[in-house]
Structures are given as C-alpha cells and as structure tokens.
C-alpha cells in the first residue's frame, strides 16, 4: 500500500517559513502530526487552514500575494501547465495525495 502522508521536509520546501512555523507549533502542542494533514487551504490575505482527520483547523497566518505566488510556483515545480486542470479546480495535488487548496484571484495570459 502506498504511503500518502506528508513529510515535514516536503512542507519546508514549498511553504512560507512563517506558515511552516505555525504548523510546527501546532504539531508540538499535540494538535496533529504533519503526516496527518490531508489538506492545506491557502488564501490571499485571509487565514490559512489545515485539515486533519476531517477537521478543518484555522491557522493564524495570512499569506501575501508574493508568498502565495512563491508557494504555488514551488508546489508546481515551476510548471503551471502540468497542474492547470487542478489549479482551475482550486487546488494543487501535493506529494502522494495531500491537496493544497489555493484561493484568490489570478491573472493569466491563457497559460493555465
């Protein structure tokens, strides 16, 4: 059976440092483990949230446009085209099963 859990290393590589710090603090407080995350919801200038065991937990982090752009770029490994179908649906598949929901407005030149 395939392992679909997130690793802390995957989080550190793609997410803004202050979001990772918030997730680590919640994890250290015993609220969840990184491996238990099934979805992250990232919103422009609105609180991010994490879904663990079917429960959505709000985070005390609001991403800027630059942070959201950098995060989407990192999650797509620079290839928006390869993820265009899911981006249009509002998420990016991350790792082996976690969904990163991305909300906000986007301006494209027909690339996605």
């Amino acid at each position: 059976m395939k392992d679909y859990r997130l690793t802390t290393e995957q989080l550190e590589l793609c997410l803004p440092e202050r979001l990772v710090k918030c997730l680590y603090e919640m994890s250290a407080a015993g609220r969840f483990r990184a491996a238990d995350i099934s979805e992250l919801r990232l919103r422009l200038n609105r609180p991010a949230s994490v879904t663990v065991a079917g429960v959505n937990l709000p985070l005390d982090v609001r991403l800027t446009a630059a942070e959201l752009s950098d995060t989407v770029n990192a999650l797509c490994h620079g290839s928006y085209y390869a993820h265009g179908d899911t981006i249009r649906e509002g998420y990016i598949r991350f790792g082996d099963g976690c969904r990163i929901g991305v909300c906000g407005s986007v301006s494209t030149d027909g690339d996605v």
Side-chain angles (χ1 to χ4, degrees):
M1 178 176 215
K2 197 166 191 156
D3 187 357
Y4 291 105
R5 295 177 297 176
L6 271 177
T7 66
T8 53
E9 294 81 17
Q10 289 173 316
L11 292 173
E12 289 176 348
L13 290 173
C14 294
L15 302 177
E17 185 177 329
R18 61 195 187 95
L19 179 56
V20 172
K21 181 181 178 195
C22 179
L23 292 169
Y24 277 142
E25 288 171 355
M26 291 178 78
S27 179
R31 299 202 54 197
F32 59 82
R33 296 174 307 142
D36 297 331
I37 297 173
S38 61
E39 183 174 274
L40 283 168
R41 295 181 185 168
L42 308 179
R43 300 172 178 100
L44 179 60
N45 297 321
R46 293 185 51 212
S49 64
V50 60
T51 302
V52 179
V55 177
N56 192 292
L57 305 170
L59 304 174
D60 192 25
V61 175
R62 294 172 183 256
L63 298 182
T64 65
E67 287 173 320
L68 194 54
S69 177
D70 290 347
T71 300
V72 170
N73 190 47
L75 291 169
C76 293
H77 304 288
S79 178
Y80 297 105
Y81 179 80
H83 298 272
D85 290 341
T86 61
I87 290 172
R88 280 189 289 279
E89 295 294 322
Y91 70 93
I92 299 167
R93 177 99 29 225
F94 182 69
D96 286 329
C98 179
R99 289 171 38 138
I100 308 288
V102 182
C103 301
S105 23
V106 65
S107 174
T108 67
D109 294 324
D111 295 339
V112 177

